[in-house]
Amino acid sequence: MPPSPSIRPLGSAPPLRDRGDACPGALRLHAAADGLLARVRVPAGDLTVRQAAALADAAEQLGDGFLSLTSRGNVELRGLPDGCDGRLAGLLGDAGLLPSARHERIRNILASPLAGLDRHTPADVRWWARRLDALLCASESATALSGRFLFVLDDGRGDVAALGGDVSLVAERDGAGERTAADGGTALLRVGDDPAALRIAGPDAPRAALAAAEAFLTAAEASGTGAWRVRELPQEHALTARDVAGALRAAGIAATHVPDGARPFTATGPTTTHPNPGPAAGPTTTDPNPNAAPAAGPAPAAADSSAPGVVEGADGHHALAVLAPLGRLSAAQWRLLTATAAQHGSGELRLTPWRGVVLPGLPAAAAADRLAALSAAGLITDPSSPWHRLGACTGRPGCAKSRTDVRADLAHAVAAGAPVPGGSPAPAPGAPVYWSGCERRCGHPHGTWVDVLATADGYQVSVVRPDASPATQETRPQ
């Protein structure tokens, strides 16, 4: 897979981009060691069974027969032959997976996978995702965004808010705690790593997210650095919540400045209480809904959307959450998931940033049996699985830059009961462990994670913490 953004040392100078990003798409294919690679954007991870079937057809008819899930809830097809572009575009286009050829690489929208599904879900933000995607595909200016630029939509549980969004929306409960994001309520809008946020009315959230992205493009052009992402802007052109407030005002969107809108979330994982950022420091424009302030105190605990298993819904229906070992699914496994969604669920699949799949809408009586069938097919269905929270880059033979076959090495390590080389427990309990074949660390997690890096002298283990300088990172050569 093409590289993730590098682990940039705290306080280091932003990169100077002298070319456009090389992120692959469904129409711009990447030449890998095992053939061409296509990355199909799936906004909010939402797929119909028809779209899922089309992806399986593409994997079987054109690719290596497997589908890879990415840390942004997208799908990669590998082993594609030269000259397959037209057939691939036809398969995907007929299924509605390419609504706009000019925008296909910028539809990077990550949303809380369990929004609207579990008993205590704070808000269903999927409407935001659908509306934002439509706005992006209709925007001429948005075509200038990088294929790496990321929108994050969090339903209030904090599961995706810390996953490195360039523009993030976090739903808030209103005083009644009942309205959905589409019907009302408020949201916090954040840009990059700015701890401040803007409180806006929920129905304005998709337009506000697009306006924030357009404000980034203006800042990037003024900086002259060719920045692809908000964090790459130099300090003198940094984009803040106050800067975005002006863009919202020009678009007719009311916003209130919140000095510490990031406080409820950490980079190590989701919280289980609802954000309550406290009173605003003063409105940038008129308060969007002064009578619907967020409810005080913790909300009931929401389900952990990164964990596999059965998710109990409030309406008597259940959802199944499974993980793909190392993010790879055979076409047969994928078709089993699709058939389960079609025959027993609501006819939809949701891809997660933890390289998993959620199947909503199953009758409670059928959930356990269907989960057992998915487990028998080789999917991760139990949080106690040794594969839970383990990941790896493509490695050899698929990537020529990798020093070794990291997936095979990891499989041997798991079989030996030591997913972290050296046999000792992970240096950061509960943090994901990620094996990489080179310093690019493609597809690595965000927040705090255990880095297992292949070097010329074997594997080196370290703990990556986003708020620490390289000198204070824990490192254990092996």
Side-chain angles (χ1 to χ4, degrees):
M1 65 187 77
S4 301
S6 61
I7 305 173
R8 189 171 134 199
L10 190 69
S12 64
L16 181 64
R17 305 293 191 186
D18 57 2
R19 59 174 177 81
D21 78 275
C23 253
L27 302 178
R28 180 200 285 182
L29 306 186
H30 169 76
D34 57 350
L36 298 178
L37 176 153
R39 181 175 298 160
V40 184
R41 266 62 175 193
V42 184
D46 286 347
L47 287 171
T48 65
V49 292
R50 179 168 172 255
Q51 291 171 333
L55 288 167
D57 290 343
E60 289 182 324
Q61 296 174 22
L62 302 175
D64 62 2
F66 287 82
L67 301 96
S68 297
L69 307 184
T70 78
S71 60
R72 291 185 170 190
N74 295 319
V75 175
E76 287 183 349
L77 304 172
R78 301 188 68 94
L80 299 168
D82 291 335
C84 73
D85 313 46
R87 286 188 64 194
L88 178 62
L91 282 170
L92 301 179
D94 289 346
L97 289 165
L98 292 175
S100 172
R102 297 185 64 218
H103 297 82
E104 63 101 1
R105 292 191 319 117
I106 67 164
R107 301 169 66 224
N108 296 302
I109 304 174
L110 192 59
S112 296
L114 297 185
L117 296 183
D118 57 323
R119 288 181 180 274
H120 302 299
T121 190
D124 187 353
V125 297
R126 316 301 284 193
W127 174 86
W128 286 353
R130 292 189 292 272
R131 180 60 181 150
L132 175 56
D133 187 36
L135 290 172
L136 281 172
C137 289
S139 169
E140 179 65 28
S141 61
T143 60
L145 289 172
S146 159
R148 299 173 188 253
F149 194 90
L150 178 63
F151 297 90
V152 167
L153 315 181
D154 193 293
D155 69 358
R157 78 185 68 217
D159 57 348
V160 297
L163 295 185
D166 292 284
V167 174
S168 300
L169 294 170
V170 181
E172 294 186 297
R173 284 184 303 144
D174 65 9
E178 295 176 350
R179 293 187 296 175
T180 68
D183 294 333
T186 55
L188 295 179
L189 183 149
R190 294 179 52 218
V191 287
D193 295 325
D194 185 5
L198 298 173
R199 179 171 288 127
I200 57 177
D204 288 334
R207 282 200 306 133
L210 178 58
E214 291 171 339
F216 159 75
L217 290 173
T218 299
E221 183 177 9
S223 74
T225 63
W228 296 342
R229 307 198 61 188
V230 170
R231 292 165 186 81
E232 295 180 356
L233 291 169
Q235 186 61 39
E236 59 272 22
H237 293 279
L239 187 67
T240 68
R242 289 196 181 278
D243 297 325
V244 172
L248 299 191
R249 185 164 46 247
I253 300 172
T256 301
H257 190 264
V258 180
D260 194 12
R263 181 175 56 82
F265 305 106
T266 68
T268 56
T271 61
T272 55
T273 58
H274 192 86
N276 179 26
T284 304
T285 63
T286 305
D287 192 319
N289 192 351
N291 296 318
D304 179 1
S305 57
S306 68
V310 175
V311 180
E312 297 183 1
D315 60 355
H317 286 84
H318 290 179
L320 303 183
V322 301
L323 300 175
L326 299 183
R328 290 274 279 174
L329 293 169
S330 68
Q333 290 173 319
W334 183 267
R335 289 195 187 280
L336 177 60
L337 287 164
T338 303
T340 302
Q343 298 168 16
H344 304 281
S346 62
E348 63 175 311
L349 301 84
R350 297 185 181 183
L351 310 184
T352 81
W354 300 281
R355 296 179 170 86
V357 182
V358 175
L359 306 178
L362 279 78
D369 287 345
R370 292 303 95 206
L371 191 70
L374 296 174
S375 178
L379 298 170
I380 301 170
T381 61
D382 189 334
S384 65
S385 166
W387 290 99
H388 186 211
R389 300 189 187 282
L390 286 182
C393 71
T394 296
R396 288 188 175 273
C399 177
K401 295 184 181 296
S402 180
R403 295 187 176 94
T404 183
D405 186 343
V406 290
R407 290 172 180 252
D409 291 347
L410 175 53
H412 290 313
V414 171
V420 177
S424 60
V433 176
Y434 199 80
W435 289 50
S436 301
C438 75
E439 286 76 9
R440 298 190 310 166
R441 298 174 172 89
C442 299
H444 68 74
H446 289 275
T448 297
W449 52 284
V450 180
D451 177 32
V452 183
L453 176 65
T455 72
D457 299 318
Y459 282 100
Q460 175 178 289
V461 179
S462 61
V463 179
V464 177
R465 294 185 173 89
D467 56 350
S469 65
T472 60
Q473 303 285 7
E474 237 178 274
T475 302
R476 298 189 299 145
Q478 300 295 332

